């Protein structure tokens, strides 16, 4: 029984493959459109995409072109070929701005850019492009059914940029380039004032300025000590119950002891 069913399924599959190859090699564009649509609706996006690739130029300017163009882009999206999908969704919205599928195409194009965004440790050119694309969608469709998801994706991408900037500044601290670390953390705090990493950024900025001050020559030391003390005050004011408070307070004590030495010289 099971063996017979298995043989039947194999036979159906072979016939199906044979039908695909026969239609694929034919010159009948209408048959290709019909089979491509059936494959698309059955979730067989790779085969549908191959069929659509053949006939898309031949339907340009025809009534079926709108549906075909959308299915062609969507099949790429479903195959996770997001660069190709975004490119063709963009073409769709340019050619058919009044289409009932225009909003969906615009969103999926932007979402394709989101999927192409790399991990935070890599160059973030695609992340910036994705944010711009999603923001453009939000501005164009402020009442969209996809609005909540679009905003969520923007927040995720924004955090990736935050994490990238934070880790660069932290890396400077780890390699003891304290001046570069302080500058990078100041830029981070200015660029991302509401970041969830703000507490750590203030802490590491203080750590970098603390070390920079202690290692400075006398002509620069007093000023840097005062800057570090001010960074400590800003940190404590913002996060009075921080898990880093004990260590930061110890640094502040050392900073004030060093400043006292300058007072005794006067």
């Amino acid at each position: 029984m099971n063996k017979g069913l298995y043989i039947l399924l194999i036979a159906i599959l072979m016939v199906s493959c044979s039908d695909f190859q026969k239609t694929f090699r034919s010159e009948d564009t209408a048959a290709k459109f019909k089979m491509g649509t059936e494959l698309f609706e059955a979730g067989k996006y790779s085969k549908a995409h191959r069929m659509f690739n053949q006939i898309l130029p031949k339907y340009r300017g025809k009534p079926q072109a709108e549906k075909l163009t959308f299915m062609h882009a969507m099949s790429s999206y479903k195959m996770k070929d997001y660069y190709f999908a975004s490119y063709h969704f963009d073409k769709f919205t340019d050619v058919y701005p009044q289409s009932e599928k225009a909003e969906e195409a615009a969103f999926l194009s932007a979402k394709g850019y989101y999927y192409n965004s790399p991990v935070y440790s890599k160059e973030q050119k695609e992340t910036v492009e994705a944010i711009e694309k999603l923001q453009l969608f939000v501005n164009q469709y402020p009442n969209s059914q996809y609005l909540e998801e679009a905003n969520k994706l923007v927040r995720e991408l924004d955090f990736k940029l935050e994490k990238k900037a934070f880790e660069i500044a932290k890396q400077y601290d780890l390699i003891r380039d304290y001046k570069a670390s302080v500058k990078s953390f100041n830029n981070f705090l200015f660029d991302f004032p509401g970041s969830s990493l703000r507490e750590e950024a203030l802490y590491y900025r203080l750590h970098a300025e603390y070390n920079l001050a202690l290692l400075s020559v006398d002509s620069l030391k007093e000023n840097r000590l005062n800057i570090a003390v001010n960074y400590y005050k800003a940190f404590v004011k913002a996060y009075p119950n921080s898990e880093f408070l004990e260590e930061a307070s110890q640094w502040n004590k050392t900073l004030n002891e060093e400043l006292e030495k300058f007072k005794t010289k006067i």
Side-chain angles (χ1 to χ4, degrees), residues 118-124 160 163-164 167-168:
V119 295
Y120 77 86
S121 57
K122 295 186 176 181
E123 170 61 43
Q124 293 300 301
K160 195 177 288 189
K163 185 71 172 173
K164 173 78 171 181
E167 291 297 334
I168 288 173

Side-chain angles (χ1 to χ4, degrees), residues 163-176:
K163 185 71 172 173
K164 173 78 171 181
F166 176 85
E167 291 297 334
I168 288 173
K170 188 177 176 182
Q171 185 62 32
Y172 280 130
D173 185 63
L174 290 173
I175 65 174
R176 301 183 180 183

Side-chain angles (χ1 to χ4, degrees), residues 48-59:
H49 189 267
R50 288 177 63 193
M51 200 71 78
F52 295 152
N53 266 341
Q54 276 200 343
I55 63 175
L56 193 63
K58 297 177 182 179
Y59 275 92

Side-chain angles (χ1 to χ4, degrees), residues 162 165-166 184-192 195 197-198 201:
E162 291 178 27
F166 176 85
S184 294
F185 274 121
N186 279 329
N187 289 338
F188 173 86
L189 292 163
F190 179 81
D191 292 336
F192 308 104
S195 173
L197 299 170
R198 187 168 182 267

Side-chain angles (χ1 to χ4, degrees), residues 16-205:
S16 176
C17 290
S18 176
D19 287 344
F20 174 82
Q21 290 298 334
K22 182 179 178 181
T23 305
F24 187 76
R25 292 169 182 167
S26 77
E27 298 298 323
D28 191 340
T29 55
K32 290 182 179 183
F33 183 93
K34 182 176 181 294
M35 177 169 278
T37 301
E38 290 171 353
L39 289 166
F40 178 85
E41 291 173 349
K44 298 178 180 179
Y45 301 111
S46 179
K47 285 188 173 181
H49 189 267
R50 288 177 63 193
M51 200 71 78
F52 295 152
N53 266 341
Q54 276 200 343
I55 63 175
L56 193 63
K58 297 177 182 179
Y59 275 92
R60 192 168 290 121
K62 295 183 179 180
Q64 303 95 323
E66 181 181 332
K67 180 180 179 180
L68 178 60
T69 304
F70 183 84
M71 289 191 297
H72 181 239
M74 182 63 89
S75 60
S76 295
Y77 183 86
K78 292 293 187 179
M79 292 162 60
K80 299 185 179 180
D81 186 353
Y82 297 119
Y83 280 112
F84 198 84
S86 292
Y87 172 77
H88 283 279
F89 277 131
D90 284 342
K91 287 186 70 175
F92 179 87
T93 56
D94 286 343
V95 177
Y96 307 105
Q98 303 304 317
S99 170
E100 63 178 19
K101 292 288 189 180
E103 180 182 330
E104 183 181 1
F107 174 68
L108 292 178
S109 171
K111 196 171 181 180
Y113 280 83
Y114 162 84
Y115 282 126
N116 285 323
S117 170
V119 295
Y120 77 86
S121 57
K122 295 186 176 181
E123 170 61 43
Q124 293 300 301
K125 177 176 176 288
E126 288 88 352
T127 302
V128 173
E129 289 176 345
I131 292 172
E132 291 174 351
K133 199 73 177 178
L134 283 160
Q135 196 58 59
L136 185 65
F137 171 79
V138 169
N139 294 340
Q140 189 172 0
Y141 298 98
N143 300 311
S144 172
Q145 61 177 313
Y146 306 111
L147 186 63
E148 184 177 348
E149 186 179 358
N151 285 326
K152 177 177 176 290
L153 297 180
V154 169
R155 288 193 296 270
E156 287 182 27
L157 294 167
D158 276 336
F159 182 75
K160 195 177 288 189
L161 295 181
E162 291 178 27
K163 185 71 172 173
K164 173 78 171 181
F166 176 85
E167 291 297 334
I168 288 173
K170 188 177 176 182
Q171 185 62 32
Y172 280 130
D173 185 63
L174 290 173
I175 65 174
R176 301 183 180 183
D177 188 347
Y178 298 121
K179 189 174 181 180
S181 182
V182 169
K183 182 178 180 181
S184 294
F185 274 121
N186 279 329
N187 289 338
F188 173 86
L189 292 163
F190 179 81
D191 292 336
F192 308 104
S195 173
S196 60
L197 299 170
R198 187 168 182 267
E199 178 180 353
E200 287 185 76
L202 288 171
Y203 166 76
Y204 281 109
R205 181 182 70 166

